[in-house]
């Protein structure tokens, strides 16, 4: 597996914190408390994006990280809504660096697949940023496996490679198991998975009448609309009660245990919300409990769709 380290050689932590809520669901004071809670548990990887909270996420993260930057792994993403042309990547990255207050970042992800820009132009640009010392690793987010491999061939011709991918993966969103995670293991690509709690569904809060992204954001409500997902979340709460822990702890530990996963990206709006996810750092998930958790949701069909081989 590709080794991701901080500039001073510190190995990347088993978990990453996603700063999507900085400047949105979390004000500056709460964002700082979230950052500190992560650092107190040894988390040294932080993920943001050009598009998060109109740039406030990058600004806050850069401010918090300034004094210990060399021991951290800082990732951001190219603009989500812009084409991945040379000019747009460079303009967006310059904006991100100014907000972060950093000369360089450790990982720059392409935030989505762009079918309209020639990949040669995209990866020549990333290769140049890398050779200039402005990024250390190239990553892609929200790519299908075939898109990663197509891009990897182009990247190789440009003198670089995709070192890390960022797919969605959780107990009720398991499509990554079909091709993305096996591909990453086979091709020596690190994996930082996002949304381990399924927009909060797997925290159990919605079953208890709580609110959040699934009730406030149409994209998330559609993403997690099927009744069986909510049934799985309810069953997760029951299982967590039985073993004496929080459902969020089980959900994150389940993701982290997959052999292809380098680090789940955990996030929250408050420290109280974050602590059960961080507790998964120490949770011993044995084979029997892993199997019970996996049985709460259907595994995706194999890529060949030969169900007898699943």
């Amino acid at each position: 597996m590709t080794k991701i380290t901080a500039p001073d050689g510190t190995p990347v932590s088993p978990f990453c914190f996603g700063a999507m809520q900085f400047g949105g669901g979390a004000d500056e004071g709460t964002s700082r408390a979230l950052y500190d809670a992560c650092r107190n548990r040894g988390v040294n990887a932080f993920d943001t994006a050009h598009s998060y909270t109109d740039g406030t996420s990058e600004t806050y993260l850069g401010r918090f990280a300034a004094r210990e930057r060399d021991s951290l792994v800082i990732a951001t993403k190219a603009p989500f809504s812009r084409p991945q042309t040379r000019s747009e990547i460079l303009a967006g990255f310059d904006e991100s660096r100014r907000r972060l207050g950093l000369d360089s970042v450790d990982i720059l992800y392409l935030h989505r697949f762009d079918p309209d820009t020639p990949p040669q132009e995209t990866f020549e640009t990333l290769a140049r940023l890398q050779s200039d010392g402005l990024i250390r690793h190239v990553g892609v987010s929200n790519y299908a496996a075939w898109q990663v491999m197509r891009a990897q061939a182009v990247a190789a011709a440009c003198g670089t490679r995709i070192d890390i991918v960022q797919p969605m993966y959780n107990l009720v969103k398991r499509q990554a198991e079909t091709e993305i995670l096996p591909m990453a293991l086979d091709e020596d690509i690190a994996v930082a998975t996002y949304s381990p709690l399924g927009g909060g569904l797997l925290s159990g809060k919605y079953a208890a009448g709580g609110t959040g992204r699934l009730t406030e954001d149409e994209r998330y409500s559609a993403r997690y609309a099927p009744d069986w997902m909510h049934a799985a979340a309810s069953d997760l709460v029951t299982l967590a009660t039985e073993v004496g822990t929080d459902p969020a702890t089980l959900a994150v530990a389940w993701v982290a245990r997959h052999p292809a996963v380098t680090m789940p990206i955990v996030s929250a709006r408050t420290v109280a919300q974050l602590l059960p996810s961080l507790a998964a750092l120490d949770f011993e998930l044995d084979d029997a409990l892993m199997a019970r958790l996996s049985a709460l949701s259907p595994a995706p069909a194999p890529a060949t769709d030969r169900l007898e081989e699943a």
Side-chain angles (χ1 to χ4, degrees):
M1 185 73 66
T2 297
K3 299 297 183 184
I4 306 293
T5 63
D8 67 1
T10 302
V12 72
S13 52
F15 288 9
C16 175
F17 179 79
M20 188 178 192
Q21 297 294 336
F22 283 6
D27 61 19
E28 184 169 5
T30 302
S31 298
R32 178 73 212 208
L34 288 163
Y35 176 88
D36 290 341
C38 289
R39 296 297 294 128
N40 289 339
R41 292 302 311 274
V43 174
N44 71 341
F46 293 88
D47 178 89
T48 185
H50 181 276
S51 63
Y52 291 169
T53 57
D54 295 322
T56 306
S57 174
E58 289 179 318
T59 300
Y60 284 179
L61 179 57
R63 191 176 298 163
F64 305 154
R67 292 187 179 181
E68 51 180 355
R69 191 276 172 267
D70 285 348
S71 62
L72 303 177
V73 175
I74 303 293
T76 192
K77 304 178 189 72
F80 183 86
S81 58
R82 301 183 194 174
Q84 292 168 8
T85 60
R86 174 178 172 80
S87 61
E88 292 290 1
I89 290 173
L90 294 180
F93 186 54
D94 282 345
E95 290 171 340
S96 291
R97 286 196 299 152
R98 283 196 299 271
R99 294 166 180 170
L100 287 161
L102 299 177
D103 293 328
S104 64
V105 300
D106 302 297
I107 304 167
L108 179 62
Y109 290 98
L110 300 175
H111 206 154
R112 62 176 180 87
F113 180 72
D114 177 3
D116 300 317
T117 301
Q120 186 81 14
E121 178 179 354
T122 300
F123 284 91
E124 282 179 350
T125 304
L126 296 175
R128 180 60 182 269
L129 289 172
Q130 197 171 42
S131 66
D132 288 346
L134 300 180
I135 63 175
R136 297 175 59 230
H137 298 283
V138 172
V140 296
S141 180
N142 299 306
Y143 272 47
W146 72 266
Q147 293 166 340
V148 176
M149 295 308 298
R150 176 188 180 217
Q152 192 73 299
V154 175
C158 296
T160 188
R161 76 184 301 270
I162 295 167
D163 284 330
I164 187 166
V165 295
Q166 190 177 123
M168 178 170 56
Y169 184 52
N170 59 55
L171 191 56
V172 295
K173 283 289 190 179
R174 297 175 58 176
Q175 188 63 31
E177 293 174 10
T178 302
E179 291 195 335
I180 294 174
L181 297 181
M183 172 206 69
L185 278 173
D186 186 68
E187 297 295 322
D188 191 32
I189 299 173
V191 180
T193 58
Y194 71 88
S195 204
L197 299 184
L201 175 64
L202 300 174
S203 71
K205 68 179 182 179
Y206 297 109
T211 59
R213 278 180 285 181
L214 268 65
T215 57
E216 299 166 359
D217 188 320
E218 291 182 357
R219 296 171 303 168
Y220 281 87
S221 61
R223 188 178 299 172
Y224 295 99
D227 289 341
W228 71 261
M229 293 185 178
H230 292 262
S234 179
D235 291 341
L236 177 64
V237 172
T238 301
L239 183 52
T241 301
E242 176 187 331
V243 301
T245 191
D246 193 283
T249 303
L250 288 182
V252 175
W254 181 86
V255 171
R257 199 172 185 271
H258 193 288
V261 173
T262 306
M263 50 186 174
I265 301 173
V266 299
S267 191
R269 298 185 187 187
T270 67
V271 172
Q273 289 179 348
L274 177 63
L275 291 180
S277 292
L278 293 179
L281 285 162
D282 305 318
F283 189 82
E284 295 290 337
L285 184 57
D286 62 27
D287 291 345
L289 185 53
M290 180 69 179
R292 292 183 68 189
L293 287 166
S294 296
L296 295 179
S297 63
T304 58
D305 209 24
R306 290 162 61 96
L307 295 181
E308 75 278 10
E309 297 175 355

